[in-house]
Amino acid sequence: MQFDTSIKPDFLRLTNNNEQAWDFVELFAKWSHQIDDIVDGDKDISDEEIVEMQLAWMMAVSGNPFYQANRAFLMPLLIMSSNAWLDANKWEKSENKVQQCHSDVLKSQYHEVIFACVYLCGGWKSLREFTSLHREYQKDNYYGNVFT
């Protein structure tokens, strides 16, 4: 999976140009995608790439001023999105068609972390505008499980 950085102009506009928030969001999304790729075996990732990403993530969490200032708000979301991702992986392999369908939505729970960053920097109106523009900004988790 790849993080769709086309959201950056709207993100910065609605977060009062908070580059530290963007740095956190971009790295969080890349980290999330790398974990997904490793577990799913979607692409070959070298040991070097894994360690480099993990170190970058640890540095971001420990040193990013935006994250540090908002960690009490963000950490529960990081925990919940990680839990949702694990559940989604089980559901996508389920025999239950409803669980298969819902796994795509559940796996996208990490987007809420991104949306929360918009809220923290720009408030309620910014959040509403951002989600109206980008709730479906990524189809990276879509595996064709949605029935139409």
Side-chain angles (χ1 to χ4, degrees), residues 85-140:
W85 179 82
L86 288 168
D87 291 341
N89 276 352
K90 286 183 182 176
W91 282 14
E92 98 188 356
K93 296 175 182 101
S94 171
E95 297 295 319
N96 181 316
K97 295 294 184 192
V98 173
Q99 285 184 342
Q100 288 176 8
C101 178
H102 292 170
S103 71
D104 289 325
V105 175
L106 193 58
K107 187 169 269 195
S108 295
Q109 182 67 25
Y110 79 97
H111 293 170
E112 300 303 317
V113 174
I114 297 167
F115 301 152
C117 292
V118 173
Y119 172 76
L120 286 167
C121 297
W124 178 252
K125 288 183 180 181
S126 291
L127 172 65
R128 293 301 301 142
E129 182 176 346
F130 192 81
T131 59
S132 71
L133 292 169
H134 298 292
R135 175 66 70 182
E136 297 182 59
Y137 76 92
Q138 286 205 7
K139 306 251 189 299
D140 59 7

Side-chain angles (χ1 to χ4, degrees), residues 2-3 5 30 36-37 58 64-65 77 89 114 127 133 148:
Q2 295 249 330
F3 177 53
T5 58
K30 287 179 179 180
D36 184 76
D37 289 342
M58 286 186 280
N64 179 290
L77 297 175
N89 276 352
I114 297 167
L127 172 65
L133 292 169
T148 56

Side-chain angles (χ1 to χ4, degrees), residues 65-79:
F66 169 77
Y67 176 79
Q68 288 301 315
N70 296 288
R71 68 179 178 241
F73 188 95
L74 293 170
M75 184 51 76
L77 297 175
L78 294 172
I79 292 166

Side-chain angles (χ1 to χ4, degrees), residues 46-58:
S46 71
D47 295 351
E48 292 281 335
E49 290 171 309
I50 293 168
V51 171
E52 181 180 354
M53 177 59 71
Q54 294 306 308
L55 287 172
W57 176 242
M58 286 186 280

